[in-house]
Amino acid sequence: MLSNNFSKEHELYLRAVKRRKAAIIIVQILILIIFFVQWELTAKYKIVDPFLVSQPSRMIKFMGKLYNEGMLFRHIWVTCYETVIGFLLGTIVGTLIAIILWWSDFICKVLDPYLVVLNALPKIALGPILIFWVGNGKTAIILIALTISLIVTIISVLTGFKEVDEDKIKLLKTFGASKSQILRYVVFPSSIPTMISALKINVGLSYVGVIVGEFLVAKEGLGFLIVFGGQVAQLDMVMLSIIILSIAAYLMYEAVAILEKKFTVWKS
Amino acid sequence: MSKLIIENLSMIYHTIEAETKAIDNLSLEVLEGEFLSIIGPSGCGKSTLLSVIAGLFPPSSGRVILDNMEITKPCNKVGYMLQRDHLFEWRNIFSNITLGLEIQGKCNNESILNIESMLEKYGLSSFKNYYPHQLSGGMRQRVALIRTLAIDPDILLLDEPFAALDYQTKLAVSEEVYKIIKQEGKTALMVTHDISEAIALSDRVAVLSKRPARLKNIYDIKLSVENRTPLKSREAPEFRHYFNAIWKELDIHVE
């Protein structure tokens, strides 16, 4: 259907579409550059107090210092590692529980009010209990990240399972499919798009869990740097950590988006 | 010879508010190799009947017998075709067709060869690596039929198989589906609410009453056309007589 012999009008149209796309990207990058340049300049000429808002050049200097101490990637690694583990565990355990609830309508109905309560509860409130139980360390942080994403995963994956077309299930039943075959052949694969959008939400939630966890107990990691920087009035440390955190969260979100493309090739 | 016997079948639905009788003491025989249509007012329990025949749930009373065996659960002798094609978007055409065989654990060289030859015969072999959304509605319904035929059923149950298609596509696809069913020599039982479709495709048409469904009458469709196909049937002079008779029999009033 695609041909390279476009009419003049169509070529103009294509060029306009391309130009618009380029314009959007250029403006996006410009906003970023302008933001940092004005930050640097307003701080330099003392229009804003660099002690309170820090300054890009001071942040870079601090980053160099951290790097020379060999701690920069250590902190980043710790936070990302905890997030990925919490995120994967939340997704896998959440999906498994959703499968159990799909399998047994009785269990699902019984647990429904408890799920509602747990969903409404701010999971961070459980932080101190988890720390008390497993000690203050990485395990507690991962557990906090896990509890934050778990309930949302269960609910959204289960909703995805239940939205599967009844007639598709009927079709499989006429072939004599067992319940596990129905799960494998239709319920699970047709819920993959729902599960991936759950993953996308979980990336953000797991970061929340990890940072809060690090606020509470950590001796390393970006959350630790933020809280420590605040305590010793080192805003360079705080701001730098927040910016690195944003980049890390963005990259992880993009990784999930790549995964999404891979699993939904059939859509293209 | 009778292929399928429905014997004094009754079906009651239970909900908290009420119990509803969907089918009332229905008896019907489908002969080997024939195309029988069941027509009735909307919501009269036609689809329920097919589900019972497919063994999806047991009747409240009565029996369904296929080739001298009572049907109590889904079996590979019954092929079921639904209103929409329900091709799985994440599977390509070929693996959509092998779906039933995979579930029944019968995906072997012989069955694959059989599928390949059907795809070839019905003009779909160049599409086997395509995904469903790349095919037209008519082609998708043909794929759905081949998916049903792949498990080599003795009888095909068609649940308003053309209802989701637009009128022109419906005419073309029913023509194709009819030819494929005849070529494969299958017995077919179709449920529909489209009178002309029922006459055009069937050897016999059974008319059901409003809910609870009871058998009102059976029409032997005898048309004076040679090499009958659904489109040719529509040209037969007897066509409109059957149409009028069935229309009267259905006794539909718009309130």
Side-chain angles (χ1 to χ4, degrees):
Chain A
M1 264 185 275
L2 280 172
S3 112
N4 289 320
N5 303 322
F6 295 135
S7 70
K8 196 102 190 148
E9 194 179 328
H10 191 69
E11 270 173 24
L12 281 176
Y13 163 77
L14 287 180
R15 216 171 298 157
V17 170
K18 235 186 213 164
R19 206 174 301 147
R20 195 180 146 76
K21 229 179 176 175
I24 289 172
I25 293 174
I26 289 169
V27 174
Q28 284 172 333
I29 294 171
L30 268 181
I31 290 177
L32 215 58
I33 293 172
I34 291 170
F35 177 73
F36 281 102
V37 168
Q38 67 80 26
W39 189 356
E40 179 67 31
L41 292 179
T42 48
K44 189 176 173 193
Y45 295 111
K46 305 286 185 239
I47 302 168
V48 294
D49 186 351
F51 175 72
L52 289 181
V53 299
S54 183
Q55 191 179 5
S57 59
R58 284 169 59 166
M59 280 155 52
I60 291 168
K61 216 180 288 165
F62 183 76
M63 189 161 81
K65 188 175 150 242
L66 265 186
Y67 179 76
N68 287 335
E69 287 168 4
M71 289 308 287
L72 178 65
F73 288 109
R74 174 77 198 157
H75 288 300
I76 297 175
W77 159 251
V78 165
T79 298
C80 288
Y81 163 83
E82 289 164 346
T83 308
V84 170
I85 299 289
F87 159 77
L88 288 180
L89 275 180
T91 308
I92 293 167
V93 176
T95 306
L96 285 178
I97 295 176
I99 288 175
I100 294 170
L101 296 183
W102 173 81
W103 197 282
S104 162
D105 191 51
F106 183 76
I107 297 179
C108 182
K109 290 260 159 62
V110 168
L111 293 185
D112 185 57
Y114 298 102
L115 272 181
V116 171
V117 171
L118 283 178
N119 189 37
L121 177 81
K123 264 68 67 181
I124 292 167
L126 300 175
I129 305 175
L130 291 173
I131 291 163
F132 192 72
W133 284 346
V134 299
N136 50 347
K138 281 202 184 67
T139 324
I141 297 170
I142 291 172
L143 274 180
I144 295 171
L146 169 75
T147 41
I148 285 188
S149 58
L150 185 66
I151 308 292
V152 180
T153 309
I154 296 174
I155 291 175
S156 57
V157 172
L158 186 62
T159 313
F161 282 179
K162 287 188 168 170
E163 271 167 9
V164 174
D165 196 324
E166 276 300 320
D167 275 347
K168 280 203 165 67
I169 295 174
K170 183 176 179 179
L171 173 76
L172 286 201
K173 280 185 180 163
T174 64
F175 287 134
S178 64
K179 194 145 192 175
S180 75
Q181 279 177 324
I182 290 174
L183 178 71
R184 254 186 339 185
Y185 281 96
V186 63
V187 173
F188 200 82
S190 65
S191 310
I192 281 178
T194 329
M195 284 191 260
I196 287 177
S197 57
L199 286 187
K200 281 182 173 170
I201 301 168
N202 281 353
V203 172
L205 289 179
S206 302
Y207 268 109
V208 173
V210 165
I211 295 302
V212 169
E214 287 183 350
F215 281 2
L216 293 174
V217 294
K219 292 169 200 71
E220 51 188 355
L222 295 169
F224 162 75
L225 285 186
I226 292 171
V227 119
F228 181 68
Q231 284 162 354
V232 299
Q234 272 275 348
L235 266 290
D236 304 341
M237 196 191 281
V238 178
M239 292 293 188
L240 176 71
S241 307
I242 290 172
I243 286 167
I244 292 174
L245 196 58
S246 324
I247 296 169
Y250 173 73
L251 290 179
M252 212 151 134
Y253 185 88
E254 282 299 308
V256 176
I258 289 170
L259 201 74
E260 177 172 29
K261 270 209 187 113
K262 216 170 170 173
F263 272 108
T264 52
V265 221
W266 46 269
K267 262 188 183 164
S268 56
Chain B
M1 193 195 129
S2 295
K3 185 84 186 166
L4 180 85
I5 303 168
I6 301 163
E7 232 176 47
N8 306 93
L9 193 83
S10 290
M11 186 72 208
I12 298 170
Y13 272 126
H14 300 274
T15 56
I16 308 260
E17 293 80 27
E19 56 176 325
T20 317
K21 198 156 203 180
I23 301 168
D24 186 20
N25 203 20
L26 183 89
S27 295
L28 189 66
E29 283 182 32
V30 186
L31 306 177
E32 175 93 57
E34 85 168 327
F35 197 119
L36 179 88
S37 286
I38 295 176
I39 194 163
S42 318
C44 77
K46 300 178 297 242
S47 294
T48 310
L49 180 63
L50 284 196
S51 296
V52 174
I53 297 172
L56 292 179
F57 39 77
S60 301
S61 64
R63 312 192 287 166
V64 178
I65 296 157
L66 176 69
D67 285 334
N68 302 322
M69 292 264 289
E70 188 174 344
I71 292 179
T72 50
K73 59 177 182 7
C75 69
N76 56 9
K77 291 175 138 194
V78 179
Y80 199 109
M81 199 166 150
L82 295 130
Q83 193 179 104
R84 292 196 290 129
D85 53 70
H86 288 298
L87 298 180
F88 291 2
E89 299 85 356
W90 57 90
R91 286 175 160 243
N92 65 20
I93 297 306
F94 193 79
S95 49
N96 259 295
I97 291 172
T98 57
L99 185 71
L101 292 167
E102 280 175 48
I103 285 168
Q104 296 174 356
K106 290 195 303 203
C107 220
N108 51 36
N109 284 342
E110 196 191 334
S111 58
I112 298 282
L113 279 177
N114 178 36
I115 291 172
E116 297 270 10
S117 85
M118 271 199 283
L119 284 171
E120 188 70 44
K121 235 188 313 185
Y122 304 122
L124 285 164
S125 54
S126 52
F127 295 99
K128 65 181 184 185
N129 293 322
Y130 281 48
Y131 282 93
H133 75 274
Q134 296 169 301
L135 266 60
S136 68
M139 269 179 159
R140 293 174 60 126
Q141 201 57 312
R142 240 188 301 164
V143 173
L145 177 64
I146 295 175
R147 174 183 61 194
T148 313
L149 290 171
I151 60 167
D152 197 22
D154 283 351
I155 185 166
L156 282 171
L157 306 179
L158 310 168
D159 190 356
E160 304 199 29
F162 314 117
L165 302 171
D166 64 74
Y167 189 72
Q168 282 90 332
T169 314
K170 186 183 200 161
L171 289 183
V173 175
S174 57
E175 185 85 357
E176 280 169 4
V177 166
Y178 179 84
K179 283 181 185 162
I180 295 173
I181 290 174
K182 286 294 164 193
Q183 203 165 337
E184 301 292 322
K186 299 291 178 193
T187 309
L189 177 59
M190 178 172 81
V191 150
T192 179
H193 59 252
D194 183 332
I195 303 174
S196 32
E197 182 180 288
I199 303 168
L201 275 91
S202 315
D203 300 310
R204 290 193 297 155
V205 176
V207 181
L208 299 188
S209 67
K210 272 179 285 189
R211 193 201 288 261
R214 266 183 297 255
L215 186 63
K216 275 185 124 175
N217 207 342
I218 295 189
Y219 290 85
D220 259 308
I221 308 294
K222 294 223 165 17
L223 302 171
S224 50
V225 283
E226 280 173 33
N227 302 324
R228 205 185 141 182
T229 68
L231 279 177
K232 277 189 193 154
S233 300
R234 286 169 192 265
E235 292 164 13
E238 301 86 352
F239 191 85
R240 67 189 176 87
H241 300 308
Y242 286 118
F243 188 98
N244 288 333
I246 293 172
W247 168 247
K248 285 206 186 91
E249 189 84 55
L250 280 170
D251 193 27
I252 289 167
H253 303 285
V254 181
E255 278 137 34

